[in-house]
Amino acid sequence: MSTPAVERDVMEYDICIVGAGPSGLSCAIRLKQLKPDLNICVLEKASSIGAHSLSGAVMEPGPLDQLLPGWRESPPGICVPAKRDEFRLLTKTGGFSLPLPPQLHNHGNFIISLGLLTPILAQKAESLGVDVFPGFAGAANVFNDDGSVAGVQLGDMGIEKNGEPGPNYTPGAEIRAKTTIIAEGARGSLAKQLIKRYKLDADSCPQTYGLGMKELWQLPEGRVEPGLIQHSLGWPLDSRTYGGSFIYHL
C-alpha cells in the first residue's frame, strides 16, 4: 500500500551525490577542490560512513595521492603494502601455480579496508564544506517537468508493517539539485529506476554481477605473510561457473 500524497520539506543544493562510498566521496572532494563555492551534499543509507563498505581491497594509491596529498602520513587502520602475488588453479585434491596475469601485479599498491578509508574521505569532504548525511537513504528520483532529474526523495520514516503511516510518521524530504550524481554501487535502487526510465541499457552490453562471501581469519604466528595477495580459480566451482577467490594477508 502506498502512503497518501503529503507535503515534503525541500532542501536545495548545487550538487547532490547519492552514496558515500569511495566514488561518491571522492567526487564531492574533487568538486569542492575545483569549485569551492559549490553547495554539495552526500547522502548515505548506512547509519555511519563505512558501515556498508564491507569489502577489503587492493588499492592503487596514485589517484588518492592526487586527491589527498599527505594521506600516507595518517593512513587507514588497515593499510598494508602489497609485497607478492600468487595465482593458483585449485582442484579437489590440490592446486597448481599459474603465470601471473598483468592485471594481478600489485607491487606498489596497498591492501586496505574500504570501511576504514571512507570515513577518512568523509572527514576531508566535510572539512571542505560538504554536507555528509549518514542514515538517509534515497527512496526515489525526483523529476523536472521536462523529464530531467531534479534530485531525490528521502525515505519516509515511521511506516507500519502494513505500509500505512504510523504515529511517528515523518515524510522524507526532497533533496533538489542542479546536478544529481548516483554513486550507489552495484544494483542501486535509484540507478535501476533511471536505467529503466531512460533506457540506458539499450544497445549496451548487459551488466554482470557476482555473489561474494567474505571471512576474516586470525591465524597463528608464522602462518601469515603480510602483503601477500593470493588469487585462485577452479575448485569448488565447475568449469562452467565463473568465479574464484582472493586472500589478502594483513
Side-chain angles (χ1 to χ4, degrees), residues 43-116:
L43 307 177
E44 169 55 41
K45 65 182 178 181
S47 59
S48 61
I49 303 300
H52 286 185
S53 299
L54 301 180
S55 179
V58 177
M59 178 188 72
E60 181 183 346
L64 195 57
D65 288 334
Q66 295 181 41
L67 185 71
L68 300 180
W71 72 270
R72 296 174 189 240
E73 300 172 8
S74 300
I78 295 176
C79 188
V80 180
K83 296 291 181 64
R84 188 166 68 87
D85 297 276
E86 292 182 350
F87 187 41
R88 295 179 62 82
L89 172 63
L90 304 182
T91 69
K92 193 171 184 179
T93 57
F96 305 91
S97 293
L98 298 176
L100 197 65
Q103 64 268 31
L104 294 186
H105 287 269
N106 285 296
H107 181 73
N109 295 340
F110 290 88
I111 301 169
I112 66 164
S113 164
L114 293 182
L116 298 178

Side-chain angles (χ1 to χ4, degrees), residues 138-207:
N141 297 287
V142 177
F143 299 96
N144 293 307
D145 292 339
D146 63 1
S148 60
V149 175
V152 298
Q153 176 193 311
L154 302 181
D156 295 341
M157 307 292 287
I159 300 295
E160 299 291 304
K161 291 182 178 180
N162 62 3
E164 294 290 340
N168 297 318
Y169 172 70
T170 303
E174 286 187 1
I175 310 294
R176 291 184 171 265
K178 298 174 184 175
T179 300
T180 301
I181 298 173
I182 305 299
E184 297 173 298
R187 293 185 62 80
S189 59
L190 298 184
K192 286 195 287 188
Q193 294 173 23
L194 296 175
I195 290 170
K196 182 178 180 180
R197 180 183 179 98
Y198 297 122
K199 298 181 174 58
L200 300 178
D201 54 351
D203 303 320
S204 301
C205 292
Q207 293 181 323

